[in-house]
Amino acid sequence: MSRSGSRRGIFEGLPIPADKSYLKEGLSRIDEGWTAARFDSLPHVVHILTSKDREGEIQFLKEQSDLIEDVVDEVVHAYHHGFNKAIQNYSQILRLFSESAESITGLKGEMAEAKNLLGRKNKHLGQLWYRSLTLGHVLSLLDQVEDVAKVPARIENLMIGKQLYAAVQLHVQSMLMLEREGLQAVGALQDVRSDLTKLRGVLFYKILEELHGHLYNNGEYSSSFDGPDGDSSSDMCESNGHRWKDSKSISREVPIFLSRATPDEFLESMIKADTPLNVKYLRTLVQCLSMLGKVAAAGAVICQRVRPTIHDVITSKIKTYSEEASKSSIDKAAKRTSDVSHPYGSIWRHELFQQKTKNSASLMAAQLVVSPISPAMAPTGDAQLAASQLLGSIFECLVDILENHIIVGELLEQKSSSEVDNVNAPHMNCDASWNPDSESSQATGCFSIAFSLSVVQSECQQLLCEILRATPEAATADAAVQTARLANKDPVKEKSRDGSEGLSFAFRITDAATSVPNEGQGWRRNSNIPQEGYGTARVIPDQGIFLAASVYRPVFEFMNKIGLMLPKKYSQLGNDGLLAFVNNFLKEHFLPAIYVDYRKCVQQAISSPAAFRPRVHATSVYSSSVGLGRPVLQGLLAIDIITKEVLGWVQLMPNYATELVEYVRTFLERTHERCRASYMEAVLEKQSYILLSRNDVESLMCLEPANISLQNSSGQLDNDVTDAEGVEVEIELSDLLLDMCPIKQENLIHDDQKLILLASLSDSLEYLADSVERFGESFISPPTTSESKNHIEHGRHNRSTSAIPKGLVSLANEYRRLAIDCVRVLRLEMQLETIYHMQEMTKREYVEDQDAEDPDDFIISLTTQIARRDEEMAPYITESKRNYVFGGISSVAANASIKALAQMKSINLLGVQQICRNSIALEQALAAIPSIDSEAVQQRLDRVRTFYELLNLPFESLLGFIAEHEYLFSAKEYLSVLKVNVPGREIPVDAERRISQILGH
């Protein structure tokens, strides 16, 4: 800092008037040495003495001295009044101190006297001080008592407003207050304490009732409103003037039932939780129970109510379903039945009955079908539909209920770990079978997820038993065991391996002997037996074992949903139980009943005398529709209906497709054996059957052009045979048949009824083969994704349906082969019949003496037989097969006629005309068959006429014809024209050589 700055700091603030500002300037020039705290004059003296201008320096000092005196004068002048005032004050102070000293001397005396006085009154003052403290505490207690006395009324108001959590909060806080020191002995609070104790019980039962209602979705905040009483409400429910929409919705607002609660950690968690309203309410109720120390007591009461409530829920659903069904009109019920998704529709079981007005023979077929069940119990029947819909409705409700039980069960387990107040819980002997964790089971009053699931499955088992009319030996015992446990009894029971309640699978089938006409074994409920249990008879009048098919899918889906809901530690509980019960019932009773009863039906259908009897009053024209009169044999028509009915069960329980299709295969194999036997009865020891059993004949018949129609029906590939090759095959086969001559009548099938049977059997086998192929192609479908996953995981019924269609198609091919054999026998039979008649040509001389007008008798007999058999077979086989059966006659007749010339000794012109007349008559008879190939018939028989007309030609003209038509006839046939004696015809000696030369031999 500079000197001038230092000086300014020292002399700053001096009271110098503004008109004497020169004094400040002068002060600024004074050296800082003059202002030091310890002034040293020696340097100044030395400086003056050593200075050259001593007088000047002295003068300068004098000026500074004067300046300072002026400044001092100004300062003194400025502070003069203050100094005077200070002196006066000081004087006053001295005076006051003097007076105070005198007062203190007096006060000391007074203090000494007061001390003596207070010493004498000390005990009395202590008593007064303690009394003042007591009175203050009493006033505070009175204020608290006034507040606590109002608590019971406040709690009751909160309960009325359904603010249960706020009521529990207030109750807990009040009870804690009453336990505070000082309030325990207050007599006025005894009544309040008693009221709060009673309110604890009231609160508990109020909360318990709310919890019970919401456990079974019968509360204000439930996810659905269909409870034990069957009451339902709209999607909106009112509470305290507010309307709540679907409780599944998630909200971050304060729930209405917590609106008056004191903010705490639980309330904050409820606001932040991403859970539906009904779940929040359940958590709130469990929290209330925990705060009251009533977790175990609540669990015990819930356990006692589970079974009767579940029973009421099921009964209520059945009642509701029954009322809805009774309100439905007949038209709606019919439409509902027809809308059932099924590959073949509901016409299966009633197809013949619907057509009986159009075709009286359908009634005959229906009489052959002795089904073990009534139409209502058929796979698409009303009873099956009712059972499936009813169980689906019940299980849907139970899934929601179990979801609530799982939520509450987990919450109770969490709360029970910290609860110690089990004093008020009913005494119960819990068994580890109710819960994998027996210790937590005691703390929750034996209530657990395993317990609820076990009871639900047990009740469902009882329901299924009522529907199925089956009584498991241990089913009623399960209920008795649970009742005994709740009554402080502890019967000995073997525990299952996974710790869950085991279900017995031994059955007693009741009312099995009841039967009705045309219903086989029956399995119907006896109408004389009183209706008890769940009342399913109101909805399903036809009860019995066959309803197991409709039970399977609802149970499977029910258990699958439960498995997805269960926590991991309980996952094993969903693996067995009810689903195992149903699977066991299906294996031990339903499938065996299906097999035994339908096997009887099949046996009855194919063993009846009318089963393989062609229809007597068949329509004149073949129809491709059974409803319009297709003449399917009654036995096979019945088998088709039975087969469809058996396979109808697959739609209801696809996981048992393998067993059911195996049953169908067995039935169809047995039917095929019976068809084969019927076929053998018609053809045994007949020439046609013997020929067909020869490989060479069968091979040639397969190569014939006419075989194409049969190949198409059997699904095989067409033959790659040219027309020329086809003609050669026909001639070769004809020659083979002609080598069988002479044909005896006893080797032919002369019974027209057998021929009609073969025709009808062929068509019926084709009909059944088509039906079987449809089964394999479109009926069998793989199981659903959830089913496949479930069964892969648990190793049960893991089916592969890829092999099923192959087996059915293979069986269909067996039916088609037998159908083809039937029509091949008919074709051979007609060819042999033709040869049988045509062989008469070799027994007579065709040297006529007059021109006859009619063909030969054997031709008339043959044509008459062709016309009659065609007319009789027309209703039983298709036109293509009729063409096949009668189409082989012309080739055999033509070949036989041509070969007959070689065995004739002589023939005249009239004889040639007679043979031509025979050919024309046969051609006309065959052309009259609507389905026949008239052009092919004409070509073959024209060849006969051309051949015999060669006998009328002069030799030279014959040579010219042979030269032009070298390949029309064989060399042997041309030479036979020369060998026969024709009156009036001249034949040269070298005629045979000349013809051979033309033919290149």
Side-chain angles (χ1 to χ4, degrees), residues 712-747:
N712 290 338
S713 66
S714 63
Q716 300 173 3
L717 297 175
D718 295 342
N719 287 336
D720 296 330
V721 179
T722 63
D723 293 339
E725 291 173 340
V727 172
E728 291 180 2
V729 169
E730 282 187 358
I731 295 175
E732 184 179 355
L733 182 57
S734 178
D735 290 341
L736 192 150
L737 296 177
L738 290 171
D739 290 341
M740 304 297 297
C741 290
I743 302 297
K744 297 180 181 181
Q745 187 175 12
E746 59 267 21
N747 293 331

Side-chain angles (χ1 to χ4, degrees), residues 270-372:
M270 286 294 96
I271 297 174
K272 296 178 181 178
D274 292 329
T275 54
L277 187 64
N278 66 310
V279 177
K280 289 183 177 181
Y281 194 61
L282 289 174
R283 290 181 59 184
T284 300
L285 295 176
V286 174
Q287 178 70 13
C288 290
L289 292 173
S290 177
M291 292 169 67
L292 291 174
K294 290 286 190 176
V295 170
V301 176
I302 293 173
C303 284
Q304 293 174 340
R305 294 183 178 184
V306 170
R307 184 174 294 278
T309 307
I310 293 297
H311 186 93
D312 290 343
V313 167
I314 296 174
T315 304
S316 173
K317 295 296 291 186
I318 295 173
K319 180 181 178 182
T320 302
Y321 186 91
S322 175
E323 292 173 352
E324 292 176 353
S326 64
K327 293 178 183 178
S328 301
S329 64
I330 298 176
D331 293 337
K332 291 182 179 180
K335 181 180 184 301
R336 183 184 62 205
T337 303
S338 63
D339 288 342
V340 177
S341 176
H342 202 284
Y344 295 96
S346 60
I347 196 173
W348 278 9
R349 188 62 176 79
H350 311 289
E351 181 178 13
L352 298 180
F353 292 96
Q354 294 172 350
Q355 299 297 337
K356 66 180 180 180
T357 56
K358 296 182 179 180
N359 187 2
S360 59
S362 297
L363 184 58
M364 296 172 56
Q367 291 172 347
L368 290 174
V369 181
V370 185
S371 177

Side-chain angles (χ1 to χ4, degrees), residues 107-360:
L107 182 60
K108 286 182 178 180
E110 293 176 357
M111 287 290 289
E113 293 178 0
K115 182 177 180 181
N116 295 330
L117 180 63
L118 289 174
R120 291 194 297 269
K121 300 292 184 176
N122 183 35
K123 184 176 180 181
H124 180 66
L125 288 175
Q127 291 176 350
L128 293 176
W129 174 80
Y130 181 76
R131 183 177 298 175
S132 66
L133 291 179
T134 303
L135 290 175
H137 186 61
V138 169
L139 291 175
S140 176
L141 286 178
L142 289 175
D143 291 337
Q144 295 180 20
V145 168
E146 184 178 2
D147 291 338
V148 172
K150 299 177 182 178
V151 166
R154 290 173 59 192
I155 291 177
E156 290 178 354
N157 289 332
L158 289 173
M159 284 193 294
I160 293 173
K162 294 192 176 180
Q163 295 291 321
L164 298 179
Y165 184 71
V168 171
Q169 278 185 321
L170 183 58
H171 184 277
V172 171
Q173 293 169 2
S174 300
M175 291 300 292
L176 289 175
M177 184 181 296
L178 291 176
E179 296 299 324
R180 289 173 53 182
E181 184 178 0
L183 292 181
Q184 296 178 353
V186 178
L189 294 180
Q190 294 299 322
D191 292 340
V192 176
R193 185 177 288 104
S194 176
D195 290 342
L196 288 178
T197 303
K198 293 178 182 178
L199 280 176
R200 182 172 184 255
V202 174
L203 263 176
F204 168 67
Y205 284 105
K206 179 66 175 177
I207 295 168
L208 190 62
E209 289 303 317
E210 282 290 305
L211 181 59
H212 181 267
H214 285 78
L215 270 175
Y216 299 96
N217 289 322
N218 197 30
E220 286 182 301
Y221 308 103
S222 297
S223 57
S224 62
F225 304 100
D226 194 359
D229 297 328
D231 297 330
S232 61
S233 61
S234 63
D235 292 336
M236 306 281 290
C237 65
E238 292 192 26
S239 177
N240 294 335
H242 294 79
R243 283 187 175 269
W244 288 90
K245 293 187 178 180
D246 185 4
S247 61
K248 290 288 185 181
S249 61
I250 296 174
S251 174
R252 291 300 185 91
E253 298 178 356
V254 178
I256 187 65
F257 47 83
L258 293 174
S259 59
R260 296 174 63 182
T262 303
D264 60 6
E265 185 178 352
F266 176 78
L267 181 60
E268 291 299 320
S269 68
M270 286 294 96
I271 297 174
K272 296 178 181 178
D274 292 329
T275 54
L277 187 64
N278 66 310
V279 177
K280 289 183 177 181
Y281 194 61
L282 289 174
R283 290 181 59 184
T284 300
L285 295 176
V286 174
Q287 178 70 13
C288 290
L289 292 173
S290 177
M291 292 169 67
L292 291 174
K294 290 286 190 176
V295 170
V301 176
I302 293 173
C303 284
Q304 293 174 340
R305 294 183 178 184
V306 170
R307 184 174 294 278
T309 307
I310 293 297
H311 186 93
D312 290 343
V313 167
I314 296 174
T315 304
S316 173
K317 295 296 291 186
I318 295 173
K319 180 181 178 182
T320 302
Y321 186 91
S322 175
E323 292 173 352
E324 292 176 353
S326 64
K327 293 178 183 178
S328 301
S329 64
I330 298 176
D331 293 337
K332 291 182 179 180
K335 181 180 184 301
R336 183 184 62 205
T337 303
S338 63
D339 288 342
V340 177
S341 176
H342 202 284
Y344 295 96
S346 60
I347 196 173
W348 278 9
R349 188 62 176 79
H350 311 289
E351 181 178 13
L352 298 180
F353 292 96
Q354 294 172 350
Q355 299 297 337
K356 66 180 180 180
T357 56
K358 296 182 179 180
N359 187 2
S360 59

Side-chain angles (χ1 to χ4, degrees), residues 808-876:
L808 291 178
V809 170
S810 175
L811 191 56
N813 290 336
E814 291 294 326
Y815 275 87
R816 293 193 190 280
R817 276 192 284 270
L818 185 55
I820 291 173
D821 284 348
C822 289
V823 291
R824 281 180 176 166
V825 164
L826 290 174
R827 181 181 176 92
L828 284 174
E829 191 64 30
M830 293 309 301
Q831 289 175 322
L832 292 175
E833 191 74 39
T834 301
I835 295 173
Y836 171 75
H837 287 85
M838 295 296 294
Q839 67 188 5
E840 292 292 327
M841 291 180 64
T842 61
K843 297 178 182 180
R844 58 167 295 185
E845 296 289 336
Y846 276 92
V847 181
E848 305 293 342
D849 55 357
Q850 62 180 1
D851 189 6
E853 295 181 359
D854 297 324
D856 287 329
D857 292 340
F858 66 85
I859 291 296
I860 294 175
S861 176
L862 175 61
T863 55
T864 301
Q865 191 178 61
I866 290 173
R868 186 184 72 252
R869 289 184 174 178
D870 173 60
E871 182 181 2
E872 292 174 343
M873 290 184 189
Y876 298 98

Side-chain angles (χ1 to χ4, degrees), residues 7 89 226 277 288 299 350 382 471 562:
R7 286 192 295 269
N89 290 339
D226 194 359
L277 187 64
C288 290
H350 311 289
D382 292 340
T471 307
I562 291 175

